[in-house]
Amino acid sequence: IDGGRVAERDADPDDERAEPRASAGVDERPDARRGEDGKLTKEEHRTAGAVALQLYWTYMRSAGGASFAVVWASLGGFVQAASFTNRLYFGRWVATTQGDGGGAFCLYAATTALFVALVALRAALSALGSWRASSRIHDAMLARLLAAPLAFFERTPSGRLLNRFSSDLASVDDELMDELYLFVDASASLVAVVVVVVALVPLVVVAWVPVLLATYRVAGRYLATSRELKRLDSTTRSPIYGGFSEALDGLSTIRAFAREALEAGKHEKLL
């Protein structure tokens, strides 16, 4: 390098004595930080298709591992069994109110206490698992972020990072365990109803076949649409967070050039 200019040898490979040739001195090699299209900032990736089962296992492993998953799911089945038994003994107690219903009432009271205890235990275990999973996932994300190279922060807008650590983690904190809780409850209740109905009226299975097929098709379309809308909602939040963060950082400049109305219009358009 001489005087801000890059020295290059003559293009003739056979002439070893060729003198260096000066050219305009900006290194024209492609920047490794840029994508194939030459843009520094890449579009936010949005996964398509069904959610992989590996993600659920990763969440359960963060919550406590296989032992936690087995105990937590088993408690869901026990809660449904206790609820079914409680309703059964309640019916027997009501049927025996004309005579001596003391024994039926004691069984009903015992199953009620068992049901309440199982529900409280499962709720406490769910809260503990949710807190543990959220803490570990947050710590893992933060550790990866702090260990990322500087090129990552040049390629990734700040709004995308804020979106991951705010709305996405809020879903993990508040929604994921509750949704799994409802899924286990619904599954256990469905299994109990199917077993009882099939035991009493086996021929009802024939009528269930077309209903199940229609439900499967409708549920498949609904889940695909709902899943993609949820992902679209998550990715469209990033520009909003990024624009708001940039506006706060440059608030003094915006006010100095009287650009408040312009910035407000940009944010209203994003919303």
Side-chain angles (χ1 to χ4, degrees), residues 185-197:
D185 277 352
S187 300
S189 179
L190 178 63
V191 170
V193 170
V194 169
V195 170
V196 172
V197 172

Side-chain angles (χ1 to χ4, degrees), residues 12-33:
D12 187 2
D14 297 330
D15 188 2
E16 298 181 356
R17 297 173 298 175
E19 293 295 331
R21 177 173 54 87
S23 64
V26 177
D27 190 355
E28 297 181 353
R29 292 177 298 176
D31 193 343
R33 297 170 298 180

Side-chain angles (χ1 to χ4, degrees), residues 88-106 108:
L88 178 64
Y89 282 112
F90 177 74
R92 291 185 178 182
W93 175 52
V94 172
T96 58
T97 52
Q98 301 297 331
D100 184 13
F105 174 76
C106 291
Y108 169 65

